[in-house]
Amino acid sequence: MLLGFVAAALLVSAPSRATLLITEEEAKLPPPKGAVAVEQRGILRGPKVEFVSPGKAASSPLPLVLKFLSYGGAKIDPDSVKVIFLRTPNVDLTPRVKPFVQADGINMKDAELPPGEYTVRVDIKDSDGRPGTAVFTLKVAPK
């Protein structure tokens, strides 16, 4: 019985763990060579990815919040979401982010990253197969 109380106390007092988004080794990879396409021109009916949070440089762990917008009655396909850390070579962050993906966006409350600036690309598709892409920079301040 005493063992049960000790185990329960440890569970309650254990701090919540942040989810590792980018490792120290990945952060040290060289940036991509050449330009990174950011903006698409013209009238597009494909879905959009809106970067919500963090709005400015934040200390890690930080909230990573993205909002997905679809048009014309189409729905976002959560299985189509790909998150790529743009480095040489690129790092696929999709498996780390997947548990936080929903049809309306990504809500990762405690993303752990080393200090620095990180360019990330998010690719999505809607139920009509139209693609959408966004590129944004995460700025992580030292603790």
Side-chain angles (χ1 to χ4, degrees), residues 72-143:
K75 305 280 186 223
I76 301 298
D77 177 9
D79 292 332
S80 74
V81 175
K82 300 235 181 290
V83 181
I84 307 294
F85 174 35
L86 299 178
R87 282 299 206 229
T88 304
N90 287 339
V91 179
D92 186 0
L93 303 177
T94 306
R96 300 175 201 170
V97 174
K98 205 61 147 173
F100 306 96
V101 173
Q102 297 186 359
D104 63 346
I106 297 172
N107 189 355
M108 196 175 196
K109 294 185 187 314
D110 294 316
E112 186 75 41
L113 305 90
E117 289 191 14
Y118 307 104
T119 304
V120 177
R121 185 181 78 223
V122 178
D123 300 319
I124 61 174
K125 287 185 181 177
D126 65 17
S127 56
D128 292 337
R130 294 182 296 242
T133 299
V135 177
F136 59 89
T137 301
L138 286 171
K139 295 179 183 179
V140 183
K143 292 182 182 183

Side-chain angles (χ1 to χ4, degrees), residues 14-22 59-64 96 100 108-114 143:
S16 62
R17 299 236 349 141
T19 303
L20 184 63
L21 184 62
I22 296 174
S59 294
S60 183
L62 53 84
L64 176 60
R96 300 175 201 170
F100 306 96
M108 196 175 196
K109 294 185 187 314
D110 294 316
E112 186 75 41
L113 305 90
K143 292 182 182 183

